[in-house]
Amino acid sequence: FLMDKMYEINPNARMVFVLSSNFAYQEGKQAFETIANYYKIPIIDLWSKINTSPKSIIKINQEDGANQHPTTFAHECMGRMFIGELMKIGW
């Protein structure tokens, strides 16, 4: 439905999937890859590019690493990476 609506509004639109959290990472990645491979939609996997060493995960995940949702610091890091990744796919 969302893809149909997007292309109805703007036939020249481009789509990209973005993975930016460890929350349900493997399940979400597999689902996105299935759709992306079928429709040739690029995936920007920020979570696979961010440093997840034991010490850095404390700053990346909320509640000193106990909560899998990214902190503000992690969002800022991934935002900078996102810009570079978009440039690679030609936005």
Side-chain angles (χ1 to χ4, degrees):
F1 172 79
L2 293 176
M3 288 173 68
D4 288 340
K5 190 67 173 174
M6 179 181 79
Y7 290 119
E8 177 184 313
I9 292 169
N10 182 358
N12 296 321
R14 292 186 64 197
M15 180 181 283
V16 62
F17 292 135
V18 180
L19 302 176
S20 64
S21 172
N22 191 29
F23 186 73
Y25 178 71
Q26 287 303 326
E27 297 85 2
K29 184 175 181 179
Q30 290 170 353
F32 282 118
E33 285 175 343
T34 299
I35 297 167
N37 289 335
Y38 186 79
Y39 291 107
K40 307 294 188 262
I41 299 169
I43 296 177
I44 296 176
D45 187 356
L46 297 175
W47 190 252
S48 72
K49 297 178 183 309
I50 198 163
N51 181 340
T52 55
S53 66
K55 292 285 186 181
S56 65
I57 208 75
I58 293 169
K59 295 294 182 183
I60 291 169
N61 287 344
Q62 292 181 11
E63 300 171 14
D64 292 326
N67 184 328
Q68 292 182 337
H69 290 87
T71 61
T72 300
F73 169 75
H75 279 119
E76 290 170 355
C77 291
M78 287 188 283
R80 289 188 294 275
M81 289 189 300
F82 186 55
I83 292 168
E85 293 297 312
L86 283 175
M87 292 177 75
K88 288 180 187 177
I89 60 173
W91 291 84

